[in-house]
Amino acid sequence: MLHERPAERNAPSPRSVRLSVTDRCDFACTYCRPSRSDGYASERLDLGAWKVLVSGLLTAGVRRFRLTGGEPLVHPEVVRIVSAVVEVAAAAGLEREIDLAMTTNASQLARLAKPLAEAGLRRINVSIDTLDEQRFRAITRGGELAPVLAGIDAALEAGLTPLKLNTVVLRGVNDDELEGLVRFAWARGMVPRFLEVMPIAEGAQLARSHLVTVAEMRASLAHLLQPDPAVAEPDRGPAKYVRARGASERVGFISGTSDTYCGSCDRLRVSSTGTLRPCLATDDGVESAAALAAASTAGVADLVGEAWLLKPDGRTFKGCTESSAAHVSMRAIGG
Ligand code: SAM
Ligand code: SF4
């Protein structure tokens, strides 16, 4: 389906990309996948293909790269992919201009934080929904909290900062832990961020019954935060931040459901099989297989432009609350 895209609303070309390096994951969070055995794609891009893709994305003007998934740390070559992004940027003379970050569940981070930092990864966001072991097992369907906490310590030690925590808030599940997570993050110099569950993929079921809006989250943290309007960081995605009362710490909020932010979106996504996707909430996309097989950087750059033309308009399109969103796989296209 094509959506009208008024040029004045969305960025004229993508500046930021999320690379879903694998659709595999060692967790099965209740809002993301239906079970641990919901099936994976039979193939994924190899290292050579990622190099051509990154080169094409740089040619098309992309400067901010975020590795995601699925779980990027279960990819056996994740450190080499990080090195490859840095090498390709250096070859194009753009090493100083790029930003290279990752979103991860941190289950494998204790052993990988240092090699990733040495390979050139700059920053990391860790998804953690609770500090309670039992709840953690329930939300992730069997995941263990202790390795995640060890991974966070290792990332701080390796200098992968500023480290942000992402928590999806679910009514009756973890909505009594906001203050605990804020204090946990602030005590370690991290930035806690709270996300509304989006009616996308498995979240389509949960958003009906378990949505906690950003307005409710702010109200429950009002005693810790300044009452001022939340402010976005320039070029850093949809999160808006509020400062602590009398201190410099911050809390971020992401309102993917109650207040969509499609009008300012400058983000493209690349699936683990190489589809260029302009939007999380639709199935629109452009296949890059032929350009990758021909190792054509210019071909990829052209396809990036083609994919960008499919970007929905930010005015009438209601982001992840559109009915199309319930049918996409968050894992495959990198949430
Ligand atoms: N596995 C990694 C992780 O969990 O950080 C990276 C991929 S995950 C799909 C990226 C982010 O999407 C995570 O912070 C996760 O909490 C978030 N996410 C997944 N499904 C969501 C939903 N239905 N609503 C809101 N956030 C969601
Ligand atoms: Fe895996 Fe991340 Fe999805 Fe959880 S949110 S199932 S960790 S991809």
Side-chain angles (χ1 to χ4, degrees):
M1 196 204 316
L2 288 174
H3 306 274
E4 194 190 338
R5 184 180 69 85
E8 72 277 12
R9 292 287 300 184
N10 286 317
S13 64
R15 299 286 294 167
S16 154
V17 70
R18 293 173 81 97
L19 309 175
S20 177
V21 295
T22 176
D23 66 342
R24 288 169 192 263
C25 185
D26 51 350
F27 291 173
C29 302
T30 52
Y31 46 76
C32 183
R33 359 174 5 190
S35 73
R36 279 180 176 260
S37 53
D38 55 346
Y40 294 124
S42 54
E43 294 185 0
R44 64 168 178 240
L45 297 184
D46 62 19
L47 194 61
W50 280 118
K51 286 183 183 172
V52 178
L53 250 168
V54 168
S55 184
L57 287 160
L58 287 166
T59 303
V62 173
R63 294 293 179 268
R64 301 195 304 279
F65 294 83
R66 178 172 293 276
L67 270 50
T68 173
E71 175 43 47
L73 299 185
V74 303
H75 192 302
E77 291 188 304
V78 65
V79 177
R80 293 181 69 190
I81 295 175
V82 168
S83 301
V85 176
V86 175
E87 278 163 27
V88 171
L94 295 170
E95 196 180 1
R96 287 167 180 274
E97 286 186 37
I98 64 157
D99 183 42
L100 181 51
M102 178 182 285
T103 299
T104 172
N105 67 23
S107 66
Q108 314 291 315
L109 197 52
R111 75 183 162 83
L112 286 171
K114 194 159 176 260
L116 286 167
E118 286 169 355
L121 190 70
R122 306 236 175 103
R123 296 178 298 112
I124 213 154
N125 291 355
V126 170
S127 304
I128 180 168
D129 297 329
T130 175
L131 294 171
D132 176 275
E133 286 181 16
Q134 297 289 349
R135 280 186 185 177
F136 193 88
R137 275 187 210 114
I139 295 171
T140 59
R141 294 197 181 92
E144 289 297 326
L145 177 62
V148 170
L149 298 179
I152 289 172
D153 287 343
L156 292 171
E157 175 87 1
L160 291 168
T161 54
L163 198 157
K164 292 174 178 160
L165 299 186
N166 286 346
T167 299
V168 176
V169 182
L170 297 171
R171 190 175 303 284
V173 176
N174 63 350
D175 54 341
D176 57 348
E177 281 196 67
L178 271 61
E179 180 166 349
L181 283 156
V182 167
R183 294 199 185 281
F184 170 80
W186 285 351
R188 291 160 182 77
M190 304 186 290
V191 182
R193 309 197 309 174
F194 297 104
L195 288 73
E196 291 178 356
V197 61
M198 295 186 290
I200 180 167
E202 284 306 286
Q205 313 288 332
L206 282 171
R208 259 180 245 126
S209 48
H210 290 70
L211 172 68
V212 179
T213 63
V214 161
E216 291 175 280
M217 298 176 203
R218 275 206 67 173
S220 82
L221 291 171
H223 58 295
L224 294 179
L225 302 177
Q226 292 184 5
D228 311 344
V231 180
E233 283 181 337
D235 295 337
R236 282 282 186 272
K240 290 187 178 168
Y241 296 87
V242 183
R243 288 209 176 276
R245 286 181 186 268
S248 60
E249 285 96 350
R250 297 178 305 156
V251 175
F253 297 96
I254 302 181
S255 61
T257 302
S258 68
D259 177 20
T260 59
Y261 35 74
C262 305
S264 59
C265 181
D266 68 352
R267 192 175 280 178
L268 183 77
R269 294 180 154 81
V270 182
S271 79
S272 55
T273 54
T275 310
L276 306 173
R277 308 204 31 159
C279 176
L280 187 58
T282 77
D283 260 333
D284 296 340
V286 171
E287 300 303 329
S288 64
L292 296 180
S296 171
T297 293
V300 170
D302 286 347
L303 294 175
V304 169
E306 229 176 85
W308 204 242
L309 289 175
L310 301 176
K311 189 139 184 95
D313 82 81
R315 231 175 1 188
T316 56
F317 186 78
K318 297 287 183 292
C320 294
T321 61
E322 295 279 336
S323 54
S324 54
H327 308 294
V328 306
S329 164
M330 204 64 160
R331 278 186 298 120
I333 59 177

